[in-house]
Amino acid sequence: EVQLVESGGGAVWPGGSLRLSCAASGFTFGDFTMHWVRQVPGKGLEWVSLISWDSGNTDYADSVKGRFTISRDNRKNTLYLQMDRLRTGDTALYYCTKDIDGWYGFDYWGQGTLVTVSS
Amino acid sequence: SSELIQDPAVSVALGQTVRITCQGDSLRSYYASWYQQKPGQAPLLVIYGKNTRPSGIPDRFSGSYSGNTASLTITGAQAEDEADYYCNSRDSSGRHYVFGTGTKVTVL
């Protein structure tokens, strides 16, 4: 059974930093592109970032580029999102998602970790 | 603002058919995927590619395309299909992913 378990969320001041983690199990983690998707409570979904299976390709939404860094450790089956210079607009539930190999989309999602940026 | 536009809300009578649309120029080049999200839950993939259902998704869910519009059809809607539905695909540049604005489906 595929499982994605996010952690690391919490409350932080504007300008602060947080590092999210996503522990993956139930599939060969190192074979797949992984993504972060976020959702402001009560609002829609926003794609945030992706990282290819070998970390050779990363990409970011314009709203987070230059502030967030995605990475992975295939030995530990773990995905990360380093979030720096956080803004109040980054407040959201952050989901770790697995890429549908060969297609555009996400076939497995974690339950999310909540990030609150507030003064 | 999203490059994939969905109607904010639709309603359907129990057992009837409802079509949810997702409009955007990128859909002329890229397939969409569709997600169902119920309150307090993570999104669930229901359709991807041309018209593929993941294992466990009922066959009353189907996908189709016409021009710049992708559609998700629920044939014989059930009470448990009441949820928010989002489409997703590449953006017009092809570099990033983008979600639709979301459609709230109410089953009457």
Side-chain angles (χ1 to χ4, degrees), chain A:
Chain A
E1 177 193 8
V2 171
Q3 284 199 316
L4 299 171
V5 180
E6 303 94 338
S7 60
V12 62
W13 294 94
S17 297
L18 276 177
R19 188 195 198 200
L20 306 184
S21 299
C22 170
S25 61
F27 67 104
T28 306
F29 178 74
D31 284 354
F32 293 94
T33 293
M34 298 293 293
H35 303 255
W36 289 98
V37 173
R38 68 184 182 183
Q39 184 173 36
V40 175
K43 302 296 184 182
L45 298 166
E46 180 186 14
W47 174 81
V48 173
S49 183
L50 71 82
I51 185 167
S52 62
W53 65 276
D54 62 352
S55 303
N57 181 41
T58 60
D59 202 5
Y60 301 90
D62 291 342
S63 57
V64 307
K65 194 165 188 174
R67 301 186 298 119
F68 289 11
T69 304
I70 192 171
S71 62
R72 65 191 297 162
D73 186 336
N74 287 345
R75 296 168 302 171
K76 295 183 178 179
N77 291 344
T78 303
L79 176 71
Y80 303 101
L81 186 67
Q82 177 66 41
M83 304 187 296
D84 298 319
R85 303 198 325 260
L86 282 160
R87 305 168 179 168
T88 55
D90 296 319
T91 293
L93 187 63
Y94 284 74
Y95 292 104
C96 165
T97 71
K98 173 184 168 293
D99 192 78
I100 309 172
D101 191 30
W103 300 95
Y104 308 119
F106 323 99
D107 54 1
Y108 290 95
W109 297 62
Q111 285 303 303
T113 187
L114 183 62
V115 172
T116 303
V117 185
S118 175
S119 55

Side-chain angles (χ1 to χ4, degrees), chain B residues 38-62:
Chain B
K38 298 181 180 179
Q41 296 184 16
L44 173 71
L45 177 68
V46 294
I47 289 287
Y48 68 95
K50 196 171 185 179
N51 181 21
T52 302
R53 282 177 289 105
S55 174
I57 301 301
D59 61 4
R60 62 179 180 271
F61 291 90
S62 63

Side-chain angles (χ1 to χ4, degrees), chain B residues 69-82:
Chain B
T69 301
S71 299
L72 173 70
T73 300
I74 309 173
T75 304
Q78 302 300 303
E80 61 264 31
D81 300 334
E82 187 163 287

Side-chain angles (χ1 to χ4, degrees), chain B residues 2-108:
Chain B
S2 178
E3 296 183 25
L4 296 178
I5 305 302
Q6 301 179 235
D7 291 329
V10 296
S11 60
V12 58
L14 185 68
Q16 296 304 301
T17 297
V18 62
R19 175 176 291 182
I20 305 160
T21 60
C22 173
Q23 191 171 21
D25 287 341
S26 65
L27 297 175
R28 297 184 185 277
S29 304
Y30 303 103
Y31 285 123
S33 51
W34 288 92
Y35 303 85
Q36 175 193 73
Q37 187 177 33
K38 298 181 180 179
Q41 296 184 16
L44 173 71
L45 177 68
V46 294
I47 289 287
Y48 68 95
K50 196 171 185 179
N51 181 21
T52 302
R53 282 177 289 105
S55 174
I57 301 301
D59 61 4
R60 62 179 180 271
F61 291 90
S62 63
S64 60
Y65 296 84
S66 178
N68 71 339
T69 301
S71 299
L72 173 70
T73 300
I74 309 173
T75 304
Q78 302 300 303
E80 61 264 31
D81 300 334
E82 187 163 287
D84 294 327
Y85 290 82
Y86 295 92
C87 61
N88 170 263
S89 187
R90 293 284 200 174
D91 68 5
S92 54
S93 74
R95 290 179 47 234
H96 297 160
Y97 287 74
V98 62
F99 283 92
T101 49
T103 299
K104 182 176 183 61
V105 173
T106 300
V107 180
L108 303 172

